[in-house]
Amino acid sequence: MTAPWWQSAVIYQIYPRSFQDGNGDGMGDLGGIGQRLDYLAGLGIDAIWISPIYPSPMVDFGYDVSDYCDIDPRFGTLADFDALLAQAHARGIKVLLDFVPNHSSDRHPWFVESRASRKNPKRDWYLWRDAAADGGPPNNWVSDFGGSAWEWDEATGQYYYHAFLTQQPDLNWRNPAVQAAMFDVMRFWFDRGVDGFRIDVLWHLIKAESFPDNPPNAAYHPALGEMHRVLQLHSTDQPEVHAIAAEMRAIADSYGATGRGDRLLIGEIYLPVDRLMHYYGRERPEMHLPFNFQLIDAVWEARALAALISTYEAALPPGGWPNWVLGNHDRPRVATRLGQAQARVAAMLLLTLRGTAILYYGDELGLSDVPIPLEQERDPRGLREPGLRLGRDPVRTPMPWDGSVHAGFSTAQPWLPLNADWPTRNVARMMQEPASILRLYHRLLAIRRAHPALAIGDFALLEADGDVLAYERREGAQRLIIALNLGGHPQRLALPRDTTDCRLLLSTLAAAPLIESDGLLLRPDEGVILAA
C-alpha cells in the first residue's frame, strides 16, 4: 500500500475571521477563503485546517459552539461550505475542520435543557455538582482562562464545570448519550466530504470521576496566569479518554474510498512527550497525529534541538508518524520568537524534518505578533487577566494581501488591526521579491514535493559543532543533507566522508554558500539543502 496522503502533507491552518473577507463586513468568511484557494494551491500546500466556523455567540470566537452541524451566518451557509469543499477538492486541497467536543456554548440547546431543572433528561449531559460544605465550589480546579472552573447556577442550586469560560460548559463524556451525539456530529461532516478534524483539547474530555482537588503547582508564578496555580492532574488526561479517542479513530477509518480510511484526525494535546505518545493508541489506534508542539517552546539552540528531535523520534510507537508545527492561533508567532533571520531557518527546519508539517497562515510572510491597544483587545483570554497581556489577538490579525486599502483583506475596517508593515509585508509585494520569505516558502514546498526523501524518507542526525544543526534524509537512492546555522556567526560543517559530490538545492540566503570537498561554510542565519 502507498503511504496515506497526510504523511507527506503540509497542512495550512486558516483562522477564518482573519484570512479574507468576502462580503465586506471587516471579518473573514468562507467566501473569502474560496477567493484565495488559487494562492494556496500555488503555495503548494496539501490541506487546509479551518478554525471553528459553527454557529456561536462568539464569546470565544467560535470555540463556544451552539450548533455543531451548521455554519455561523457570519461565515456563510452550509451551501457555501459545500461549495468551498468542492472548490478545494478540485484543486487537490483537502479540508479539515476544527472539532470542539470538550465543551459547548451555554446557549447550545443541550445546555439550555440541562440547566432547566435537575430532572431534565439532559441534566447529565454536563458536569453538575453540589457546593462544598462551606457553600463554595466543589473543588479547587481552575479555569484555563483564570478563576474557578465552577459556576454557580442559582435556579437549580448547583455548580457546573467549565474548563474555559463560564459560557463554555464542559460536556459529560462519561454519558453514552453524549458520546453518541458527538460521534454523530463527526459522521455528519464526514458524510459531507470533510477530510478530517483537528480535535480541540482532546486530553480534557474526561475528568476524574470523584472530582478530587488538583495538587498545587510548586513552580507557580502569577505572571504565568492563574490556570497554572494548580497541576491539572485530575481534570485532564484521564485513562478513560483513550477509549473515546479510539472510537473517534474507528469512525474516521470507516470512511474513505481506499477502503482502509483516508480521513485524518489530529489531536490537540499539550502533554510531555511520554504521555503524548499514548494518544497514538496502545490497545487500539487513536489519533493519526497527536499534535507535537515542541518547536513552539523549544530553546533555539542547535544541541537542544538535536536532543529534542532525537527524543521525539525515539519515543514514537511502532507505526506512529511524526508531526511538527511552529505556531498556531494560541501561541506567539515564530518571527516574534526568533526574529526574521531565524524565521527563515525555522521554515527550512519545519519543511525538512520527517513528518507531517503544519503551517500557520501568515508565517509564510514572516508576520510578527501585532501589538493590540488595550481598547481594541477582543480575546477573552486577555480580558480576563488584563494586566498579564495573555490575549491571543496579536497572532490572529488579518492577512495582508496587497498594497490597497486595508491590505486587500476587506473593503471595510478589519476586525483587528493589520500589521504595521503591511504596505511592504504583503503577498503581492513579496511575490515580486525573489529573496522574500514568501518566495523561500514556495521553493521549500516545491523541493519537498519533488523529493520524497524530505516527506517520507529516513531521518538521521549528523555530527555538527557550534550553532549548526545538521541531518540527512534518505529515500531509496535519494540522499539529502540539511544544515542549519542557528547563530549569528559563520560556521563550518564537516560533510560525511562518503559524500563525494554535493549539489546545492536551496539556501535560505540569496547567494550560494561555499561547498568544499569535505565541508560546508555556512553564513550567519543560513540554512541549506544539499543533494548528496
Side-chain angles (χ1 to χ4, degrees):
M1 288 185 178
T2 58
W5 67 268
W6 46 267
Q7 288 193 354
S8 60
V10 176
I11 299 169
Y12 186 98
Q13 182 190 355
I14 291 175
Y15 192 70
R17 296 176 70 92
S18 295
F19 194 62
Q20 175 66 60
D21 176 12
N23 62 6
D25 65 357
M27 189 182 79
D29 47 43
L30 294 178
I33 296 173
Q35 292 173 23
R36 299 299 182 178
L37 286 175
D38 286 340
Y39 164 79
L40 295 169
L43 184 61
I45 56 93
D46 301 284
I48 56 176
W49 148 32
I50 306 174
S51 293
I53 49 177
Y54 314 106
S56 167
M58 296 293 167
V59 178
D60 191 21
F61 297 111
Y63 285 94
D64 50 320
V65 179
S66 57
D67 185 345
Y68 287 97
C69 296
D70 205 348
I71 301 296
D72 192 284
R74 299 170 183 87
F75 297 123
T77 64
L78 270 176
D80 293 330
F81 176 78
D82 291 341
L84 174 63
L85 188 66
Q87 293 162 12
H89 285 169
R91 291 165 173 80
I93 297 174
K94 308 282 189 182
V95 178
L96 312 180
L97 288 182
D98 223 316
F99 182 40
V100 189
N102 178 70
H103 48 266
S104 74
S105 166
D106 62 351
R107 301 189 199 176
H108 195 293
W110 296 344
F111 188 71
V112 172
E113 287 190 52
S114 183
R115 78 187 312 176
S117 78
R118 292 197 186 196
K119 295 181 180 180
N120 189 279
K122 284 193 169 58
R123 184 67 170 185
D124 193 44
W125 281 46
Y126 293 83
L127 299 170
W128 295 92
R129 289 294 179 273
D130 292 332
D134 63 359
N139 61 27
N140 71 345
W141 294 2
V142 178
S143 161
D144 279 17
F145 286 178
S148 173
W150 296 94
E151 180 73 5
W152 178 251
D153 181 64
E154 188 67 39
T156 59
Q158 281 189 313
Y159 283 91
Y160 68 84
Y161 178 72
H162 57 93
F164 298 93
L165 296 174
T166 58
Q167 298 94 334
Q168 294 170 291
D170 280 39
L171 285 151
N172 177 15
W173 271 87
R174 293 183 183 275
N175 185 331
V178 170
Q179 295 185 24
M182 295 303 277
F183 294 153
D184 281 347
V185 169
M186 297 180 71
R187 294 186 183 96
F188 173 87
W189 293 106
F190 278 143
D191 287 341
R192 297 192 91 85
V194 165
D195 299 288
F197 293 101
R198 175 265 191 187
I199 302 174
D200 187 59
V201 297
L202 176 64
W203 84 112
H204 272 264
L205 290 192
I206 292 287
K207 289 74 175 170
E209 200 161 14
S210 60
F211 292 87
D213 278 357
N214 276 326
N217 181 3
Y220 171 65
H221 188 280
L224 299 173
E226 195 179 2
M227 68 171 286
H228 296 287
R229 184 163 50 81
V230 298
L231 301 174
Q232 294 183 338
L233 179 66
H234 303 299
S235 50
T236 65
D237 193 31
Q238 299 302 297
E240 298 92 332
V241 75
H242 295 286
I244 294 168
E247 188 59 32
M248 290 178 173
R249 173 64 177 270
I251 292 168
D253 285 351
S254 70
Y255 285 81
T258 62
R260 61 182 172 84
D262 59 2
R263 308 299 173 96
L264 173 63
L265 297 183
I266 308 175
E268 184 194 24
I269 305 155
Y270 280 95
L271 289 174
V273 169
D274 58 336
R275 290 159 65 191
L276 180 70
M277 293 300 141
H278 297 168
Y279 286 81
Y280 282 102
R282 288 179 286 185
E283 297 181 3
R284 297 168 60 196
E286 296 179 28
M287 295 294 103
H288 297 92
L289 300 175
F291 243 135
N292 171 24
F293 297 112
Q294 292 182 91
L295 291 181
I296 295 178
D297 295 317
V299 175
W300 204 251
E301 187 274 325
R303 303 288 73 76
L305 283 179
L308 180 157
I309 295 165
S310 295
T311 300
Y312 176 71
E313 282 276 357
L316 289 165
W321 188 249
N323 67 94
W324 300 93
V325 60
L326 288 171
N328 60 31
H329 61 291
D330 290 329
R331 307 300 298 276
R333 284 191 179 270
V334 61
T336 295
R337 301 195 311 271
L338 305 180
Q340 290 295 334
Q342 281 295 311
R344 300 171 70 93
V345 178
M348 184 170 282
L349 175 68
L350 175 70
L351 294 172
T352 59
L353 285 172
R354 189 177 80 101
T356 305
I358 296 95
L359 171 63
Y360 187 49
Y361 88 97
D363 279 356
E364 75 271 29
L365 304 180
L367 286 187
S368 298
D369 294 7
V370 176
I372 306 295
L374 281 172
E375 65 274 11
Q376 292 182 268
E377 193 165 9
R378 308 285 295 276
D379 179 27
R381 177 72 185 92
L383 296 173
R384 290 271 294 222
E385 299 177 89
L388 301 181
R389 299 312 305 267
L390 297 173
R392 300 160 295 180
D393 293 331
V395 305
R396 300 174 174 186
T397 55
M399 182 80 166
W401 292 101
D402 56 42
S404 66
V405 63
H406 304 312
F409 166 74
S410 177
T411 56
Q413 185 70 30
W415 76 287
L416 280 176
L418 288 155
N419 51 300
D421 58 351
W422 69 264
T424 54
R425 192 173 299 279
N426 64 67
V427 170
R429 175 76 172 265
M430 298 179 84
M431 279 299 294
Q432 302 304 314
E433 299 172 353
S436 71
I437 188 172
L438 177 57
R439 294 290 293 274
L440 172 64
Y441 266 96
H442 272 261
R443 295 184 185 104
L444 281 166
L445 285 159
I447 288 175
R448 179 183 170 100
R449 191 178 293 270
H451 294 80
L454 285 182
I456 59 173
D458 294 335
F459 172 90
L461 282 167
L462 296 175
E463 289 190 16
D465 298 319
D467 292 325
V468 177
L469 174 66
Y471 46 93
E472 282 190 350
R473 302 298 313 280
R474 293 197 187 204
E475 175 69 13
Q478 204 172 82
R479 180 186 185 188
L480 303 180
I481 295 174
I482 294 89
L484 309 172
N485 185 353
L486 305 185
H489 301 283
Q491 300 281 342
R492 187 178 189 279
L493 173 69
L495 294 172
R497 292 181 180 179
D498 60 343
T499 57
T500 56
D501 184 26
C502 285
R503 175 172 56 91
L504 178 69
L505 291 182
L506 183 64
S507 168
T508 58
L509 301 181
L514 179 59
I515 305 173
E516 299 176 332
S517 59
D518 62 344
L520 170 68
L521 297 181
L522 288 165
R523 292 162 290 182
D525 304 309
E526 180 176 28
V528 302
I529 304 175
L530 304 175

